[in-house]
Amino acid sequence: MSGYPGQPGGGYPGAPGGVDPQVAEWFNAVDTDNSGQIDAKELGQALVNGNMSNFSEEACRMMIDMFDRDKTGQININEFGALFGFVTQWKTQFEAYDVSKAGTLGREDLVQAITSMGYKFSNTFYDNLLNKYSPREKRITMDNFIVASVQIKRLTDSFRNRDRQMNGQATLQYEDFVGLAMGTHN
């Protein structure tokens, strides 16, 4: 049975209604075409995992989608400020469990990190998760940790909305299930 936890930390640490000057400086450096918007490609060129590999396109698209309030496929400086706070929170969470400082989490570290967020999954779940992202090394990079954590939270929140008795069970119609899995339903 899984728990229904939240995500770490509070919100964006910048001033209310404004963008932290350091965040604005970073935004301008990432906005390579000077459009005032950042797309997944620009974001991917700017974000680096602890092992010095760039964030995956999947992770960047997912993060852009999360913060793209006007659904343009790009984020403006204010949306970027929120995304920056999000990445900072997850980076802190990831680094707290990267005890080897390899820039990746092994199975034991991953179990501890996800368990610390309040989730309880089987050993098979963790094995499958590591196989999905790294079938050979059985380690997960920070960008994939963020993708997995966000997907777990999104699916948990959606499941919770359908688990009326809060007993870890819900009845779904097929289309609802597919919509949840694809991220098109809440």
Side-chain angles (χ1 to χ4, degrees):
M1 182 191 305
S2 66
Y4 292 134
Q7 65 189 50
Y12 172 62
V19 174
D20 184 297
Q22 289 180 317
V23 172
E25 186 177 321
W26 202 60
F27 176 88
N28 291 327
V30 173
D31 181 18
T32 56
D33 64 0
N34 297 316
S35 66
Q37 302 281 320
I38 293 175
D39 61 22
K41 182 178 180 182
E42 288 172 312
L43 187 62
Q45 292 172 347
L47 295 176
V48 179
N49 286 302
N51 65 357
M52 301 313 291
S53 64
N54 284 70
F55 269 39
S56 69
E57 187 176 331
E58 176 189 11
C60 293
R61 268 195 324 269
M62 182 208 64
M63 289 188 291
I64 293 280
D65 288 346
M66 284 178 61
F67 292 96
D68 179 16
R69 292 185 194 105
D70 55 3
K71 303 301 177 202
T72 61
Q74 301 177 324
I75 53 173
N76 63 33
I77 193 166
N78 293 314
E79 294 164 334
F80 179 78
L83 182 142
F84 185 84
F86 167 85
V87 170
T88 300
Q89 289 173 8
W90 287 110
K91 180 176 185 274
T92 300
Q93 178 81 1
F94 180 87
E95 289 174 345
Y97 291 95
D98 180 14
V99 294
S100 67
K101 305 301 178 212
T104 60
L105 297 181
R107 188 181 192 289
E108 186 177 316
D109 300 332
L110 179 63
V111 170
Q112 289 179 1
I114 290 178
T115 301
S116 77
M117 291 183 251
Y119 298 105
K120 183 179 177 184
F121 294 113
S122 69
N123 289 331
T124 302
F125 174 86
Y126 291 108
D127 292 341
N128 291 339
L129 189 61
L130 287 169
N131 281 332
K132 173 184 169 97
Y133 291 110
S134 178
R136 288 194 179 141
E137 293 85 17
K138 306 282 192 264
R139 301 190 67 79
I140 192 167
T141 56
M142 184 170 54
D143 62 329
N144 289 328
F145 174 76
I146 291 171
V147 168
S149 298
V150 168
Q151 288 176 340
I152 290 168
K153 181 180 182 336
R154 179 183 62 77
L155 290 168
T156 298
D157 291 347
S158 294
F159 186 88
R160 182 186 305 151
N161 290 336
R162 289 153 179 83
D163 182 8
R164 306 229 188 283
Q165 296 177 356
M166 299 301 283
N167 63 1
Q169 298 179 12
T171 301
L172 304 175
Q173 292 185 6
Y174 176 69
E175 185 175 328
D176 193 28
F177 165 74
V178 172
L180 290 176
M182 295 183 73
T184 60
H185 292 171
N186 291 330

